[in-house]
Each structure stands twice: as C-alpha cells, then as structure tokens.
Amino acid sequence: MTSQTRLANVKADVRSQVGSDSLAVDLANALTGLFEINSYKKFRAFNGNYVSMYAKPTRTVSGSLDIEREVFLLVANYSSLHARTLTVCQQSIAAEQPRLQPNLVVILHADPEGDEHLRAWGRELGLTVLPIFRPSGGAMPPAGVVRQRLARELFATDSFQVTGPVSEDNDFFGRREQAVDLVRQLQAGRISAIFGLRKVGKTSMINRVIDLAKKSGSPRVAMVDCSIRRFNEMNSREALKALARVSRLAVQQGYAHISQTLHRADNDLMTTFESLWSTRSGSSLLVILDEIDYITPDSPTSPHWKAEFNEFWREFRALVQEAKRHDFNLSLLVSGVSSQRFRVAEIEGVENSALHFVPEDYLSPFEPGAADAMLKTLSRRCGLQLTPEGRAIVGSTAAYMPYWIRMAGSYVHRHVGIDGRPVELDTDVLRELCDEFAATEGAEIARVALQNLRRVDEPMFDVLLECARNGSFPLGQARPLLRYGLARQRGNEIIVDSEMVRQGLMLLEQSDKVSSEQGGAMRRSLDLEESEWAEELASIARRRNLLERKAREFIRVVLKMSLPADRPWTAAVTKSLDARRREDCAGLTPDALMSKLYWIELSSIITREWPIFQRFFQDRRRLQTAFQLLNERPDAHAKDVDLADVALQRRELTWLEERIAQ
C-alpha cells in the first residue's frame, strides 16, 4: 500500500506534497480520525528547516476541545530543541489569523527531552503544546501509540473538576438567564433570597450577580459574609453598625466587602443612611447577606443570635421601608442553607420580625435540560460521548445538583481509560460507574450536605429521613424538600429517588450509630445478627473508600510541599512503582496518575519517601501493617469473617484516618 492511498485524511490538492515527505506521511496517518490535513509547506526560520501543516479537527475532536479553527502542525526534526521553536509557531500562527487556532499546536520532534521542554515553554507563552517524539533517524511510533499519546494530552484533563465557585461563561451552566433576571429585580429594589444546600451553586450565583452589577454600574454592592467570625460574634447593634459602614463604602466606590470595615467605628445604621439618601437621591444599593445561617438562632458559632436575631431584622426592616420614602433604591439578597427562621411566626417566644420580609426563594438544582447541556459539554471536553440516556443517569444519580453532577462526571472520567478517546460510553457501564460513585465518594458528599441541613433545619431533615424510610411522605409538609432538590413530587406525595441522597442518609445514620457506640458502653455481646454484619461491612467499605481518596490527596500535597523544587512530586510517585506499573502510568497527567494507583501502592510511596512522611506516621512498620491489613478487604471476599476481623479493620482505619487528618 502506497503512502498516497493511505493518506485518506489529507486534502486531495496537497496529498502529493505530503506523500513525498515521509515524516509528514507518518504524522498525517497518526492523526487519522482526529484531524484532516488541509495544507503543506516547507520553510526556513532562525536558520532551521521546518515543515508546517494545517489540520482541521474532526467534529468529535472539535467539540471535545471547543475549537473551530484549524490547528498548526510543525515538524521540527531536531534532536535538541530550543524555546525559539515555539516562537516559530507563534509567528506562523499570527501570520494566518484568523484561520488558525491561536493557543494550540502539535509538534513532531526528535529531542529525547523535548516533550517536557515544549510543554513548559508552551505554558510560559499561553500555548497548549501536543508534542510527538520520533527519534532522529528512527521510526515513527505506531499510529495507534501516537493516537494514544495525543488522547492523553487532549483528554486527560478533568474538565468536571473546579477549584471553587465558577463565574466564567464557559463553566457557568444552566443559570445565565436566571442571574440576569435576578440582577434586574435587584436593580428595582427587590428583596430576594437564594436558599439551598451546600454546593448547589449559591456562591457562583452571587459572584455572577456582583459581576453583572459591576459591568452595568448598578446597583452598587455591599457584600457581607456572615460566616466571618469577627462579624457573627458581634451583637445585633454592632452588626448593624458594621453593615452601615460597608454600605457607605459601597455607595462611594461601587463595591465593598465587610472585611474592609470591621475595625472601623462609625454611626449607627439609620444615621448613616440618612446622610446617604440626603445626598444621593435615586441611588441604588444592593446589600448581600451571604451565609445567613451564621446570624440566625441556629448559628453554629454564635448562639447569642437566638436573642439578637429579632432586633437585627426589626431595625433593618425599618431601614428598608424608610429608604423607599427617600427614593433610595435599597435591595437585599439573602443567601444560606435554611429558610426555616424566615418562615416561622415566632423566635424565642417573640413575633418574628423577618416573617414575610425575606421571601422563601431557593436556588434549586438544575432542570434536566440544563443538566443535560452541562454534561454534554464537559464530557465532550474529556473525550467522552454520553448518550441522552447516559446523561440522564448521571443527572438523576446526583439529584441534578450541579456540584454533585460534576463530581459524578469526574468519577466516570477517572475510571475510564484515556487511551482510545474520544469514545462513546456504554450506558450499562455508565450506570455501573454511577452506582459505584453514589456508594463511595457520592455518599460522603451527600452526607456532608445533609448533615449541614440537619444542623440548620432539623424538622425538614426529619421529614426527609422519614420519606426515605417509608418510601413517600405527604406533599403539604415537605415542599422545601422539593425546592432543595432532595425529593421529587409523585401525585400528592414526595419520594426520594436520587441514589446519592439515599446513600448519604445511610452513611449519616451509620456514622451516628458509630459515634453513639463509641460514646456509650462497650457492647456486652460479641454476637452480631446477619443484618448487623452487613451494616458493619458496608460501613468499613465506605470508610476505606473515603480514606483511600483522602490518602491520594494527602500524599500529593505532602510530596508537593516537601520535595525540592528540582524534583517533581510525580517522579517520586512513579519511582515507587514496579517497572510494569511505571510503564502503565507513563504519560498520565498528575490527577490521572494519582487516581490510577492501587491501595497498596500508596503505602509504597510513603515507605520510599519515609523521611518526608515520618512526622505524620512515626512508626513505619505500623503503617505497612495497616495498609496490608486493609488491603485484604474482608467485605469483598467470600470467606468467613469474625468479629476480630471487623475489630482489626476498624482499628486500622481509625489509626490511618487520625494521621492523615493531621
């Protein structure tokens, strides 16, 4: 078979030119199914000879990378590269704007150390470089290997993971119009609220509102984070004075945060606003009270708000009413987990000043259509094609919570091999992965959210628990659960159909049981019923899975913080593996590398780098014993298990948990 007949992905008018260049032929064939070659050119730059080609991504790759333009390919057949190689790329790309993608290049080279150098130089210049190494005078890696390497470069990044609240357009899914509508209402002086579970997207929405307000110039924003201890430790009078100070500063400079004013002294709330509306008639100010749970009677840090809550809202309510009379547009946005204290008639036996003042508005989970759009985009960036049914499985597993969906998607990404992507994921495989996620990482994520709900709104948590136990619950008393997204309506009842919610409730009950047992007397009997055995083993499995996830992150952080700058932490990890596993993990991104490690390999890393980890574990033999014992996984094997096995597992889990939590 000639090179001409093999170049199916090369445009006809340049096929003969490409076919006469063996390196170009190898590169073009390696990119079959990923790119279509549209041009070929030989040129000189910086006294060097180069070949360039322009490659149009296939529809799948284009969607995965979010690129529409052609990509610049450079053949630099040199055994020692210099940073000017990327200058060549930059100059060539700039000369062909807007035809070429400005921030992505593919470079075929012969430098044994070139891959890492090219990536590093690219990061400095804001370029994503996909290097392909071919030894000088040697053979091109097989096309399948090249495609695997490119797949790792293109799709190894976990697009589902975010480091904090999102605000950029390409990651702000499902609520763009909702944010715009909310800003319009606040500009008109409305009092609004966004209640919801932890990680449902409240902070992202607030950031979006602030950003839109800054861009439009209205309203000016006074941001109060009630979780700041110096604020929630104040009494109501001091808190109102702090609110007055940050409001005045916001009117003056457009935006102000409560932390800017906590150490200042000033007049009380009403006096400050009298001076504002006397000089700024027609102005618009938005006060945001975020993490409002910290200044309610259910505050986790400041119990004095049981008595101060009413006084605070009584004066603030009077202020809002007076502002209207002075043509001063004062709007309010309240954000927190629970709306309970804004819907009860009395607080500590006194009429509730906030009743019917702050609306019971929720930032509910995504609608199925919004969840589908987010999953379609993010999975495509990772080279995963999910069917509509598959995307619905992920969404329903995660109760359509944006953060939960991201974590479920991340779990799928980490448990599907990079090689061979882009690939359509089988629905049955996806369902199995979602079930695994819900029973392990997802259960812990849900447990944290539900535990917080119980702390700030125990009556509603009890309703959820009863609904999950009994299968349903009357709708009338449980409407907030629908708005939280923890249940859905079926006729005149609600049901819990999210696997993450069910698993989170089970985990919370089990942790409560463990705490109760540890706090009480030792069990008198060593006999366990069959159901109790199942619960014990399930509890051990969940704790071990959670510990394994924490151990991976613990090892990564300790190595990164402790190793010298000239020694990458990823090298320390791979050197701890045997030769076969080292080859299996070669080329993986840091996140993918850590997720691929076996449990017992985590022990090998700690043991090999013992001088770094000694201060955490003290006893190396004890550490190895703990990892070895937990690696036996009695819950996963068909063998007899006695109470001693369970006791040993729990003891070693506790020992490792305490040290990793330091």
Side-chain angles (χ1 to χ4, degrees), residues 256-271:
H257 191 277
I258 189 65
S259 59
Q260 297 174 259
T261 65
L262 286 177
H263 294 296
R264 301 182 183 181
D266 209 339
N267 296 324
D268 61 22
L269 184 71
M270 194 66 75
T271 303

Side-chain angles (χ1 to χ4, degrees), residues 275-522:
S275 66
L276 289 178
W277 56 53
S278 65
T279 57
R280 298 178 181 272
S281 179
S283 294
S284 178
L285 172 67
L286 165 61
V287 175
I288 300 177
L289 296 178
D290 191 20
E291 301 285 0
I292 195 67
D293 305 284
Y294 282 85
I295 59 169
T296 70
D298 305 300
S299 173
T301 59
S302 304
H304 64 275
W305 282 96
K306 287 182 173 67
E308 302 288 343
F309 181 84
N310 249 332
E311 182 179 345
F312 179 90
W313 286 103
R314 187 180 299 112
E315 184 159 352
F316 193 88
R317 187 168 192 161
L319 170 72
V320 172
Q321 294 167 351
E322 188 65 17
K324 300 293 184 184
R325 302 186 185 102
H326 290 271
D327 193 27
F328 188 92
N329 241 359
L330 177 60
S331 54
L332 172 66
L333 178 60
V334 172
S335 174
V337 174
S338 174
S339 64
Q340 180 191 15
R341 294 302 178 171
F342 297 94
R343 64 175 186 261
V344 296
E346 294 182 352
I347 302 290
E348 297 294 299
V350 179
E351 182 182 359
N352 187 359
S353 300
L355 182 64
H356 303 311
F357 180 64
V358 174
E360 196 178 347
D361 296 334
Y362 289 77
L363 191 64
S364 298
F366 278 166
E367 293 294 327
D372 183 84
M374 181 175 80
L375 279 165
K376 189 174 184 179
T377 299
L378 293 179
S379 60
R380 202 169 53 189
R381 292 177 189 173
C382 297
L384 297 174
Q385 301 169 28
L386 309 185
T387 64
E389 181 184 358
R391 296 194 293 270
I393 290 171
V394 178
S396 61
T397 297
Y400 294 99
M401 306 278 189
Y403 176 73
W404 294 10
I405 290 173
R406 282 181 175 274
M407 293 302 99
S410 176
Y411 185 90
V412 172
H413 166 73
R414 287 183 278 115
H415 288 78
V416 174
I418 299 296
D419 298 344
R421 297 193 194 182
V423 62
E424 181 171 313
L425 203 55
D426 181 77
T427 301
D428 291 335
V429 172
L430 183 61
R431 182 180 286 107
E432 183 178 342
L433 287 172
C434 285
D435 289 342
E436 290 176 5
F437 167 74
T440 54
E441 296 179 19
E444 176 61 21
I445 293 169
R447 183 194 67 80
V448 172
L450 295 171
Q451 188 174 42
N452 184 260
L453 175 65
R454 179 172 64 180
R455 177 179 58 76
V456 298
D457 195 347
E458 189 167 5
M460 197 52 57
F461 174 83
D462 291 340
V463 170
L464 176 67
L465 198 57
E466 187 171 346
C467 178
R469 286 172 175 170
N470 299 333
S472 64
F473 195 88
L475 175 63
Q477 305 174 48
R479 291 189 184 276
L481 292 178
L482 297 178
R483 298 181 179 182
Y484 278 129
L486 295 172
R488 68 178 179 88
Q489 184 174 349
R490 186 182 65 186
N492 292 322
E493 297 179 323
I494 65 163
I495 60 171
V496 177
D497 64 347
S498 164
E499 189 62 24
M500 268 189 73
V501 175
R502 287 198 293 264
Q503 293 283 354
L505 287 170
M506 289 172 56
L507 189 57
L508 189 56
E509 287 187 286
Q510 288 173 2
S511 63
D512 289 344
K513 180 181 178 182
V514 170
S515 298
S516 176
E517 289 176 355
Q518 291 176 346
M522 294 291 291

